[in-house]
Amino acid sequence: MRKNAINLKKVGVIFFLMPGLIYSQNTKEKDTLKEQKIEDVVIVGYKTQKKSSLTAAVSVISDKKLKDTNTSDVSSMLQGKAAGAQIMQSGAPGSTATVKIRGTSTINGPTDALWVVDGVMMNGTPNLDPNQIESINILKDATSTALYGSRGANGIVQVFTKSGTSSGKGTLNVSMNTSFNTFTNGKFKLMDGEQFYDYFNSLQNVPATAPRGVRAPGYNWLKNGTQTGVAKNYTVDFRGGSQNSKTYISGNYYDETGTIKGFDYNRLSFRINHEQTVKPWLILKPKVSLSYTTGKDVRASLFEMYLNLPWDNPRDANGNYVNPNTSVWYGRDHRNYLYDQQWNYGKNNQLDLVGNMDAEIKITDYLKFITTNNVTYRNFDSMYYIDPRSISGESNKGELSETYLKDISKFFNQMLRFDKDFGVHNVNALAAYEYSDRFYKTSTAGVFGVVPGTDIFDTGASSGHKPSGTKFDRAYNALLFNAEYVYDKKYFVQGSLRSESSSAFGANHRSGLFYSYSAGWNVHKEKFFHVKQINEWKLRASSGLVGNTPAPNYGWQDLYALTQKYNGQIGATWSQLGNPDLTWESIVQNNIGTDIRAFDNRLTINIDYFNNKTKNLLALVTLPALTGVDRQYLNIGDVKNKGWEFNVNYAFIKTKDVTWDLGFNVSTYQNEVLSTRNNAIQYLNSNGAAIPGYDVTSFYMRKWMGVNPDNGAGLWEVVNADGSKSLTSDYNKASLQVVGNATPDYYGSFSTNLTIKNFYMNANVYFSQGGQIYNFYRSFFDSDGAYPYYNQMVLQNGWNRWEKPGDIATHPVALYDNNNLTNNTSSRYLEDASFVKLRSIRFGYNFPKSLIEKLNVNTASIFIMGENLFTITKFSGVDPEVGPPDSGTTYSGTAGGIYPIPRRFSLGFNFSF
């Protein structure tokens, strides 16, 4: 009777927690229901699995592998760490990298991986201190992602933060490091005053009024606008606890000045993860994370540093800044950003607060109830001040603008988890209900006619901007189920189901069903297997259906814009035609793989082949204007994506005093558009188009055919109606066609780790081969005279310009105010995106115990590190490792005004008490 009462009490606690706590569980405890330390486990999605029965394509990255970079951003740390993960960075302080897993499987939908931190699905890359991370998993196939339903199609970056220990002792760890960052401009070199003078006067048709007598080196805008930036990174954390109470506390301060002058980034981070065993059957797991970020921006545009002429000096003879509108100034745009920077500036603040209230209830030895509940809050505000004395503020007598953003997400999951052995049989399963929603709102306003030096609105402003803003919300709920059967640790099968509903779709297609199934075989456990050199050999295969949530929140509805007036009254204009049949992009993912450990576990090999097909591609389609509305979201086509992934690691030396291992991973993939709407060309942004039979990232533009040696005119290709081809020097007569794509043939990395007694060394080399980059900035700085008063780039080795009949040249004749359109969009500026980069090298020393014990210190170490030390490439721009261009948010294969990744040198100390 007493036993029944205790069980009823546990069930009562479950139903007490259930109504308000509905989140997704993803703890990093070794979650076998019986605490058995019999073999390694790995957390995949919502469950913990024994490695021996893992059938998913997963890469596990420990915190030790994340220490070869010094950055505020967790996404940038992943480059080269896992096969199949492509990381594209930016060098701006506080910026985040683009993470793509297994290439591109869509044309207009989101392509970035989903981030999951301690079980919480995040919106974008989390603002997380990298020092708080215990490990990261990269989930790549349907078996590992299907339970995430409509948000798992692009792969998942699963992050686990550190936790307390049960040792009964506490450890205080201190980490201090400082980095010095230098600006790198790659092969992109600008002309000095003498070079530009010679180039300018070589232009044909230069007017007689052109500047003379200015042949001198002049002012170096780029050199004077950049600096050696400094990044300071200090962390103090505590890990400790007992069997019933475990605590992890971390505090971090990160401060960085950019390599472009005038930009400062600062972040304070705090985290506490606690685990309290209240009863033998009840564990509470609260977590709180807080980050406060500030930035100040008085930097110049990198674009302006490039285009300003060396003939123009920003200061006069007395050292005062020059106003180009009242002084002699040669540059076309009359821009002296240093003059404005005397007064103009911007600043921003961001608060990120993440709170979990999780619990685990042990009902029986083989059944648990787990509830995880989260609220994520982000508040961002920015201000930009333009002084009335500045050139930018002349027309409006100064300007003050402010933007406010609020982003609130809630995420709840209730889960029952079963795990029981029946002799040589094991059955484990989970069932859960999940709910999540997001509210997002932003508002912008501004005033003109401000009093110099003030930064609030009500200081005599005469007029203002028209206020603007946006607001949306979205919600999901889902039922989840997963089951796995293991026989004798040799054979295993697994299946998952997720039934999900989303407010992003209408009633016709609001719900979707996502699934996966997989099987595996531990060949080495068979009696017939007698290869002593192989310790483990596993074969695995999986298949499933996952989804891709569309970007529009209301694509299924008719939308009206309240932005027009008639007779003084606000009127509604039809801005979007609704589509009640709009549905998810769905991706059928197939994967086969093998995992091998051999030679006393010195050699590890992982091989995967995947073949995915995306159906119901989502696109915003332009409609005939006669309909009264010009756009509608439609599901229009299909895409295929397939490839291979290889990962090899070998420990050459494993002795007490010396260890050395070498790792290598490489990924290759191909994609193809199978169909579009009516199989017609679907035009995309960034000079791209989706065309059946071609790569998703295809460049669709005119094909450059070189220079006519007779007259120096540029040549393009014409594809005639009968399929024959000819040449033309008239840009407008040239044919639009597919001329290349941005997809690399393969990419990967080499890594090595060496320890000799207390000394250690780590190094990582990253490479990418194939694919193309559209070097957009060459249209300004390699313009053949189209922009005669913009600075120009120095021609690369092997390039030459046509000067006289008979010249075989790479560049056409240069004309003053050239209107031959040779600098317009064409394959002329498409370049090989291949590169090899020394990503990082780190040397360190762990102080011996005989020394540190005298100082009452448990451990102590020192290291020096270099990052992005050199790049081998043919690309003529700043960096072939292009991330999002200019103000864009996704990778496009276009190199615009990208903040270069700096060359970084770091010195650090770590010690613990």
Side-chain angles (χ1 to χ4, degrees):
M1 184 70 183
R2 176 174 174 78
K3 183 176 181 180
N4 291 337
I6 292 174
N7 285 334
L8 285 172
K9 186 177 179 182
K10 298 174 185 176
V11 173
V13 173
I14 294 173
F15 282 97
F16 174 76
L17 292 169
M18 183 79 76
L21 310 177
I22 325 171
Y23 160 92
S24 139
Q25 160 64 15
N26 200 352
T27 63
K28 66 175 182 294
E29 273 64 44
K30 294 188 176 179
D31 209 351
T32 51
L33 294 174
K34 299 176 180 179
E35 292 292 335
Q36 303 176 44
K37 296 181 179 179
I38 53 178
E39 57 180 298
D40 291 339
V41 296
V42 60
I43 304 94
V44 179
Y46 292 79
K47 60 183 294 184
T48 300
Q49 286 185 266
K50 301 177 180 70
K51 277 190 175 181
S52 62
S53 64
L54 182 64
T55 56
V58 179
S59 294
V60 180
I61 307 170
S62 67
D63 63 330
K64 293 181 180 179
K65 295 182 179 180
L66 298 173
K67 292 180 178 180
D68 63 352
T69 183
N70 186 26
T71 176
S72 64
D73 166 46
V74 61
S75 58
S76 299
M77 306 171 70
L78 300 178
Q79 189 179 67
K81 303 299 192 304
Q86 189 178 12
I87 316 299
M88 291 150 287
Q89 306 177 69
S90 168
S95 63
T96 58
T98 299
V99 179
K100 290 173 62 176
I101 296 175
R102 290 189 166 178
T104 303
S105 297
T106 182
I107 58 173
N108 267 338
T111 60
D112 291 1
L114 171 70
W115 287 81
V116 177
V117 181
D118 289 339
V120 180
M121 294 189 200
M122 310 298 289
N123 297 310
T125 306
N127 188 10
L128 177 67
D129 170 26
N131 295 289
Q132 298 171 358
I133 295 174
E134 185 75 55
S135 65
I136 295 177
N137 289 350
I138 307 294
L139 313 185
K140 297 180 282 190
D141 68 342
T143 292
S144 58
T145 63
L147 285 179
Y148 291 95
S150 66
R151 284 168 283 183
N154 299 313
I156 294 169
V157 182
Q158 190 178 20
V159 179
F160 305 102
T161 59
K162 295 175 181 177
S163 61
T165 64
S166 58
S167 63
K169 298 179 181 180
T171 302
L172 183 69
N173 303 288
V174 179
S175 172
M176 302 182 297
N177 62 73
T178 300
S179 299
F180 300 93
N181 308 327
T182 60
F183 184 85
T184 56
N185 214 39
K187 290 190 172 183
F188 183 67
K189 307 298 181 186
L190 291 164
M191 294 183 179
D192 63 21
E194 293 177 343
Q195 292 169 315
F196 186 78
Y197 181 87
D198 294 340
Y199 159 79
F200 186 89
N201 283 281
S202 72
L203 300 177
Q204 295 188 13
N205 305 322
V206 175
T209 57
R212 305 294 178 186
V214 289
R215 193 180 190 279
Y219 187 80
N220 191 325
W221 288 90
L222 187 61
K223 180 179 179 181
N224 287 282
T226 57
Q227 63 182 2
T228 298
V230 178
K232 303 172 185 176
N233 192 356
Y234 307 131
T235 301
V236 177
D237 67 45
F238 171 82
R239 303 183 77 170
S242 62
Q243 196 65 36
N244 294 327
S245 182
K246 306 171 187 177
T247 302
Y248 169 75
I249 303 173
S250 175
N252 173 264
Y253 173 75
Y254 185 92
D255 180 83
E256 182 174 357
T257 56
T259 55
I260 297 177
K261 290 180 180 178
F263 188 80
D264 298 317
Y265 173 84
N266 181 284
R267 184 180 68 193
L268 286 169
S269 302
F270 172 80
R271 171 176 289 275
I272 180 168
N273 293 345
H274 184 66
E275 180 179 314
Q276 184 67 46
T277 302
V278 180
K279 297 287 185 178
W281 50 269
L282 174 62
I283 303 174
L284 300 180
K285 302 177 180 180
K287 301 182 181 74
V288 176
S289 172
L290 183 147
S291 294
Y292 180 68
T293 305
T294 62
K296 187 171 183 179
D297 186 358
V298 291
R299 61 179 165 166
S301 163
L302 192 57
F303 180 62
E304 289 185 32
M305 293 184 197
Y306 292 157
L307 66 85
N308 278 354
L309 295 182
W311 296 344
D312 294 318
N313 194 310
R315 298 176 184 268
D316 60 22
N318 298 317
N320 300 315
Y321 288 113
V322 171
N323 184 337
N325 295 326
T326 59
S327 306
V328 176
W329 197 268
Y330 299 107
R332 191 195 79 162
D333 296 342
H334 282 249
R335 287 282 297 166
N336 179 7
Y337 62 83
L338 292 172
Y339 182 85
D340 281 12
Q341 282 182 1
Q342 296 177 96
W343 308 286
N344 299 351
Y345 67 94
K347 60 182 181 180
N348 60 74
N349 303 275
Q350 179 173 307
L351 176 67
D352 291 273
L353 179 63
V354 181
N356 279 40
M357 185 57 207
D358 309 338
E360 181 179 302
I361 298 173
K362 180 179 177 183
I363 302 172
T364 69
D365 287 341
Y366 50 84
L367 184 64
K368 283 183 180 180
F369 171 74
I370 301 166
T371 176
T372 314
N373 315 277
N374 168 270
V375 175
T376 300
Y377 174 84
R378 170 172 292 178
N379 184 283
F380 174 86
D381 66 86
S382 66
M383 180 273 288
Y384 203 88
Y385 169 81
I386 299 177
D387 194 276
R389 294 165 290 185
S390 68
I391 300 170
S392 304
E394 286 177 352
S395 60
N396 294 322
K397 297 181 179 180
E399 182 180 344
L400 180 67
S401 60
E402 294 187 2
T403 297
Y404 293 92
L405 180 151
K406 182 184 291 186
D407 191 351
I408 304 173
S409 300
K410 299 187 291 292
F411 196 99
F412 308 107
N413 176 285
Q414 308 291 347
M415 180 184 298
L416 283 172
R417 185 179 291 172
F418 174 90
D419 190 344
K420 188 171 177 62
D421 292 324
F422 302 90
V424 295
H425 309 273
N426 173 267
V427 177
N428 62 82
L430 65 85
Y433 170 75
E434 182 175 282
Y435 170 85
S436 63
D437 62 33
R438 182 186 183 189
F439 171 82
Y440 178 96
K441 182 179 180 181
T442 181
S443 303
T444 299
V447 294
F448 302 134
V450 300
V451 175
T454 59
D455 60 0
I456 55 176
F457 284 164
D458 58 346
T459 55
S462 57
S463 60
H465 286 292
K466 181 180 178 181
S468 62
T470 186
K471 180 176 73 171
F472 69 80
D473 49 18
R474 179 181 285 198
Y476 303 85
N477 60 37
L479 293 171
L480 293 72
F481 176 77
N482 172 272
E484 181 186 33
Y485 168 71
V486 180
Y487 173 72
D488 200 21
K489 298 182 181 180
K490 286 192 293 188
Y491 315 110
F492 21 92
V493 293
Q494 183 177 173
S496 299
L497 284 174
R498 179 181 174 109
S499 177
E500 182 173 68
S501 299
S502 170
S503 64
F505 303 102
N508 295 355
H509 294 280
R510 182 152 291 165
S511 299
L513 183 65
F514 306 98
Y515 63 85
S516 72
Y517 50 89
S518 62
W521 177 27
N522 275 328
V523 181
H524 65 282
K525 289 186 175 292
E526 297 290 354
K527 292 182 180 179
F528 62 77
F529 189 82
H530 301 294
V531 182
K532 294 182 179 180
Q533 291 84 357
I534 296 180
N535 305 102
E536 298 177 16
W537 181 21
K538 179 167 60 181
L539 300 175
R540 48 186 168 77
S542 67
S543 183
L545 178 71
V546 294
N548 202 356
T549 300
N553 294 285
Y554 311 105
W556 60 280
Q557 293 179 300
D558 288 344
L559 296 183
Y560 297 87
L562 300 173
T563 57
Q564 304 297 322
K565 286 187 178 182
Y566 178 77
N567 198 24
Q569 298 295 318
I570 294 177
T573 55
W574 200 2
S575 63
Q576 176 182 291
L577 177 62
N579 180 3
D581 293 320
L582 194 70
T583 187
W584 280 288
E585 291 185 355
S586 55
I587 304 180
V588 177
Q589 297 185 342
N590 301 289
N591 191 95
I592 57 174
T594 185
D595 306 307
I596 299 172
R597 297 177 70 89
F599 306 116
D600 294 327
N601 295 313
R602 287 174 177 263
L603 175 67
T604 301
I605 301 174
N606 311 103
I607 303 174
D608 281 275
Y609 171 77
F610 64 92
N611 193 326
N612 304 334
K613 181 180 179 181
T614 306
K615 301 183 293 183
N616 299 317
L617 289 170
L618 186 74
L620 182 60
V621 175
T622 301
L623 303 176
L626 293 175
T627 61
V629 59
D630 62 358
R631 62 179 186 171
Q632 183 185 32
Y633 281 97
L634 296 174
N635 297 103
I636 62 164
D638 307 307
V639 165
K640 179 175 67 175
N641 185 38
K642 62 182 180 179
W644 289 87
E645 296 170 359
F646 300 89
N647 181 78
V648 179
N649 194 88
Y650 188 75
F652 288 93
I653 302 175
K654 292 175 66 175
T655 66
K656 179 182 177 181
D657 293 330
V658 180
T659 63
W660 177 41
D661 66 74
L662 182 66
F664 167 74
N665 70 73
V666 64
S667 306
T668 178
Y669 66 91
Q670 297 175 327
N671 61 60
E672 179 185 343
V673 178
L674 299 178
S675 65
T676 59
R677 186 189 185 199
N678 301 322
N679 280 332
I681 297 173
Q682 179 69 42
Y683 293 98
L684 308 174
N685 295 329
S686 302
N687 306 309
I691 305 174
Y694 289 93
D695 192 286
V696 174
T697 65
S698 292
F699 292 105
Y700 191 69
M701 56 183 64
R702 290 165 174 83
K703 186 174 183 179
W704 175 257
M705 298 301 292
V707 178
N708 187 330
D710 296 330
N711 57 16
L715 296 173
W716 296 271
E717 186 173 81
V718 177
V719 181
N720 301 304
D722 61 359
S724 62
K725 298 177 181 180
S726 58
L727 300 179
T728 181
S729 57
D730 186 339
Y731 178 85
N732 293 311
K733 292 181 180 179
S735 302
L736 289 170
Q737 56 185 298
V738 173
V739 292
N741 63 73
T743 301
D745 298 327
Y746 57 86
Y747 58 91
S749 73
F750 292 92
S751 62
T752 188
N753 303 282
L754 172 67
T755 64
I756 302 176
K757 293 191 175 181
N758 291 346
F759 294 92
Y760 64 88
M761 184 274 287
N762 319 112
N764 182 277
V765 175
Y766 185 78
F767 60 88
S768 179
Q769 174 64 40
Q772 292 170 296
I773 300 172
Y774 182 69
N775 195 349
F776 170 67
Y777 267 19
R778 280 182 61 190
S779 64
F780 296 106
F781 308 117
D782 187 14
S783 66
D784 309 323
Y787 296 97
Y789 289 100
Y790 279 1
N791 199 2
Q792 298 292 292
M793 64 186 291
V794 177
L795 297 187
Q796 302 284 303
N797 292 333
W799 291 4
N800 63 311
R801 187 172 299 281
W802 187 93
E803 295 178 352
K804 62 185 185 300
D807 283 350
I808 305 300
T810 59
H811 284 51
V813 60
L815 304 172
Y816 183 89
D817 273 342
N818 192 339
N819 60 2
N820 290 333
L821 307 183
T822 54
N823 68 319
N824 275 24
T825 302
S826 77
S827 63
R828 176 187 176 187
Y829 297 144
L830 274 183
E831 300 187 34
D832 186 357
S834 304
F835 68 91
V836 176
K837 177 175 289 191
L838 179 54
R839 180 72 176 84
S840 67
I841 185 166
R842 170 175 167 139
F843 298 93
Y845 178 73
N846 296 312
F847 290 98
K849 289 185 177 181
S850 58
L851 175 62
I852 61 178
E853 286 177 352
K854 298 176 181 178
L855 303 174
N856 293 321
V857 175
N858 289 340
T859 62
S861 63
I862 184 174
F863 71 86
I864 57 172
M865 180 167 58
E867 300 175 66
N868 303 308
L869 297 182
F870 66 81
T871 301
I872 302 172
T873 183
K874 295 179 181 178
F875 180 57
S876 69
V878 173
D879 193 337
E881 193 179 350
V882 294
D886 299 312
S887 59
T889 57
T890 58
Y891 177 72
S892 64
T894 298
I898 296 166
Y899 199 124
I901 302 170
R903 182 174 294 112
R904 179 174 289 143
F905 300 93
S906 303
L907 172 66
F909 299 91
N910 301 293
F911 52 92
S912 64
F913 300 95

